[in-house]
Amino acid sequence: MQTRTLGSTGSSVAALGLGAMGMSGAYGASDRSESIATVHAALDAGVTLIDTGDFYGMGHNELLLEEALRGRDRDSYVLSVKFGGLRGPDGRFLGQDGRPDAVRNFLAYSLTRLGTDHIDIYRPARLDPAVPIEETVGAIKEMIDAGYVRQVGLSEVDAETIRRAHAVHPIADLQIEYSLVSRAVEEEVLPTLRELGIGLTAYGVLGRGLISGHWRAGQVAGPGDFRAHSPRFSSGNVEHNLNLVEALREVATAKGATVAQLAIAWVAAQGDDIVPLVGARTRDRLAEALPALDLNLTADDLAEIEKAVPAGSARGDRYPSVLMSSLGVGN
């Protein structure tokens, strides 16, 4: 397994990470035993970075990972945990809490649910507009000094926030959506990360399945599936977006790859400081994703991919309008 370093101060991790959110209901029902088997298969394949959030399934995801990671050498994997997302019993998102006392509280629960004595990378899931980022990062720094956290990460914030946070404590990485259909980070955020020596962990590299090559026209998202409310999957938008996928499929076929492999390889090819996260929920999807790291994309390949899916060509926002305001950058 190839490795990459998360910025100038972060960990050395496998060049492909595993995002566990989909194992806890974000895309509809999932099979617990298959989820655990997928985590095991990822670790056995050399994947070391595992990303979760304390609000994924309201703690379900952390408890699942505790079971999946039980008995594994704690130094053999890197746990990235997002915190602060507030949710109601009906699953609705209620905002973000980045107060220092909340940081300590969320961390205590995560350590217990995950069955570990430390979190490798701890990050607010979103910016709390009521709390200066300096206070939130300062509280994480205190937890680093106390030995409960190893590094500070950020998620879905703009360049100015990154600079302010980095001035309080070195930031290991920013987690943000980055894919062929979500490229807003390229304008200002990515150059800022590189200026400051901060890594990028890219989630949504398959556009939540939109550019995986497996989503079909007319397909309906099941109960509890985020995509049922996603503008990019709505009628009128999804048909246009799937036409982009078909153009990408032609490039992939010429390379002897699947659409998903090409989409993942494209993200990885954008820089050695970027680690794609794949949200595989099954061993089959993981097995498809892993060979993407061996796909060598030439300048001509990248030009063909750009022609198939030009920047800004996707239709629809990446989140429902009620959630777009919480993002540091747009599409």
Side-chain angles (χ1 to χ4, degrees):
M1 175 68 72
Q2 305 168 32
T3 60
R4 294 186 172 187
T5 301
L6 295 177
S8 58
T9 63
S11 302
S12 175
V13 296
L16 191 70
L18 179 66
M21 181 180 74
M23 298 176 181
S24 295
Y27 301 120
S30 59
D31 181 270
R32 187 180 186 86
S33 61
E34 179 61 25
S35 295
I36 290 172
T38 301
V39 174
H40 290 168
L43 294 170
D44 292 343
V47 172
T48 55
L49 178 63
I50 301 176
D51 179 76
T52 184
D54 61 9
F55 51 91
Y56 290 171
M58 282 64 78
H60 174 277
N61 203 242
E62 290 182 322
L63 291 170
L64 183 146
L65 287 177
E66 187 279 330
E67 183 177 349
L69 297 171
R70 194 179 300 160
R72 296 276 176 164
D73 180 357
R74 182 61 183 84
D75 293 331
S76 68
Y77 58 88
V78 173
L79 271 177
S80 162
V81 179
K82 292 184 290 297
F83 70 88
L86 303 177
R87 302 186 71 174
D90 59 357
R92 285 190 307 117
F93 282 91
L94 307 175
Q96 177 77 18
D97 193 345
R99 294 172 301 133
D101 279 346
V103 173
R104 302 177 189 103
N105 177 78
F106 289 132
L107 177 60
Y109 280 87
S110 285
L111 290 171
T112 300
R113 284 190 292 254
L114 287 163
T116 185
D117 63 357
H118 71 278
I119 302 298
D120 297 291
I121 311 173
Y122 203 49
R123 69 183 83 241
R126 298 289 186 272
L127 180 67
D128 182 346
V131 179
I133 190 62
E134 290 86 351
E135 293 185 15
T136 304
V137 173
I140 302 174
K141 181 181 182 299
E142 290 178 6
M143 296 298 94
I144 291 175
D145 294 340
Y148 297 117
V149 174
R150 296 291 184 262
Q151 300 166 69
V152 182
L154 295 173
S155 177
E156 288 287 356
V157 293
D158 60 16
E160 179 189 359
T161 302
I162 294 167
R163 292 184 185 279
R164 288 169 53 196
H166 193 66
V168 176
H169 188 278
I171 303 300
D173 72 311
L174 171 72
Q175 186 178 122
I176 198 163
E177 189 164 354
Y178 188 31
S179 72
L180 278 166
V181 293
S182 295
R183 296 175 61 175
V185 298
E186 294 175 344
E187 183 175 348
E188 188 176 6
V189 168
L190 190 51
T192 299
L193 296 178
R194 286 172 171 162
E195 174 192 338
L196 299 176
I198 299 172
L200 187 152
T201 45
Y203 77 88
V205 293
L206 298 179
R208 302 182 185 276
L210 181 64
I211 56 172
S212 67
H214 299 293
W215 194 267
R216 302 180 306 278
Q219 185 170 340
V220 177
D225 192 327
F226 167 89
R227 292 169 291 198
H229 309 286
S230 171
R232 288 189 173 166
F233 288 84
S234 66
S235 178
N237 288 339
V238 70
E239 292 83 2
H240 167 84
N241 295 332
L242 289 177
N243 284 335
L244 299 176
V245 175
E246 290 311 306
L248 191 62
R249 194 186 304 276
E250 293 184 16
V251 183
T253 300
K255 289 290 292 183
T258 68
V259 175
Q261 289 164 355
L262 192 69
I264 296 167
W266 180 89
V267 174
Q270 302 312 300
D272 291 339
D273 51 353
I274 298 173
V275 175
L277 296 172
V278 294
R281 293 188 288 169
T282 66
R283 284 167 288 180
D284 286 347
R285 289 289 182 260
L286 175 69
E288 180 184 10
L290 289 172
L293 296 176
D294 299 321
L295 195 58
N296 179 40
L297 299 182
T298 66
D300 288 343
D301 293 331
L302 293 171
E304 287 299 311
I305 293 170
E306 182 73 25
K307 182 179 177 181
V309 187
S313 58
R315 287 186 184 171
D317 289 335
R318 56 192 178 102
Y319 280 92
S321 58
V322 69
L323 298 178
M324 285 297 291
S325 62
S326 68
L327 305 179
V329 295
N331 292 321

